[in-house]
Amino acid sequence: MNELQELYREVILDHNRQPRNFGEIEDADRVIEGVNPLCGDRMTLYLKLDGSTVQDVCFKGTGCAISVASSSLMTERIKGASIDETLDLFEMVHEMLTSAGDEPPEELEKLVALAGVREYPSRVKCASLAWHALKAALTGAGHEISTE
Ligand code: ZN
């Protein structure tokens, strides 16, 4: 493992051990449940919106280290962002997770730690679960999503 891969691994392990924004928002504007039956990952995403801004975001759930770390990294990154920025971010992350080989854009910052899953197709769903839940929550596409 090279130095960069080691760093990415550390980010994932850190966010799995101590997930950021873990919990519920009682007066959330959007609540959506996401499941990845393939791995058994299950998460609920809570969003508090203020006009066109993600004022607060939390998640709860159980799953593998990749799914928990991805949810944690996502909430950390989108808190305070605009809905437009958040949807752009979804596209960038989705692109990163599904296009092998390309260098991920620098704007992704810490989220590039998730790029490692590209080598493992079954893990892509673990990493993208939270992001699909986020997109569904922001676009009002139901209350539950499944990666299958
Ligand atoms: Zn998983």
Side-chain angles (χ1 to χ4, degrees):
M1 212 183 286
N2 66 35
E3 218 169 288
L4 197 60
Q5 285 170 321
E6 183 62 35
L7 183 72
Y8 290 171
R9 198 172 146 268
E10 273 307 308
V11 171
I12 302 285
L13 291 177
D14 172 43
H15 277 261
N16 178 51
R17 270 195 301 261
Q18 295 180 313
R20 319 302 197 263
N21 306 302
F22 193 87
E24 282 178 45
I25 300 174
E26 266 182 35
D27 59 342
D29 295 304
R30 308 278 164 88
V31 178
I32 190 151
E33 194 176 348
V35 290
N36 173 19
L38 212 64
C39 176
D41 308 317
R42 181 173 283 277
M43 61 96 67
T44 308
L45 183 68
Y46 303 85
L47 284 178
K48 181 87 185 144
L49 304 176
D50 177 16
S52 58
T53 304
V54 178
Q55 190 185 46
D56 201 7
V57 54
C58 277
F59 79 101
K60 240 177 41 175
T62 53
C64 65
I66 301 281
S67 73
V68 172
S70 181
S71 303
S72 172
L73 283 160
M74 181 185 83
T75 58
E76 186 181 65
R77 177 65 186 265
I78 66 168
K79 204 177 207 172
S82 77
I83 290 174
D84 284 348
E85 283 165 354
T86 304
L87 288 171
D88 285 349
L89 198 62
F90 168 86
E91 295 299 336
M92 272 193 272
V93 170
H94 191 256
E95 178 80 18
M96 171 179 80
L97 294 176
T98 52
S99 56
D102 294 349
E103 201 64 31
E106 270 175 36
E107 305 99 283
L108 287 176
E109 298 173 12
K110 223 190 284 179
L111 295 171
V112 298
L114 298 169
V117 304
R118 292 189 298 195
E119 322 283 326
Y120 311 95
S122 65
R123 288 295 184 186
V124 170
K125 287 182 176 181
C126 302
S128 60
L129 176 63
W131 296 87
H132 284 294
L134 174 66
K135 188 175 187 195
L138 289 176
T139 55
H143 300 289
E144 190 171 327
I145 59 125
S146 171
T147 55
E148 283 197 330

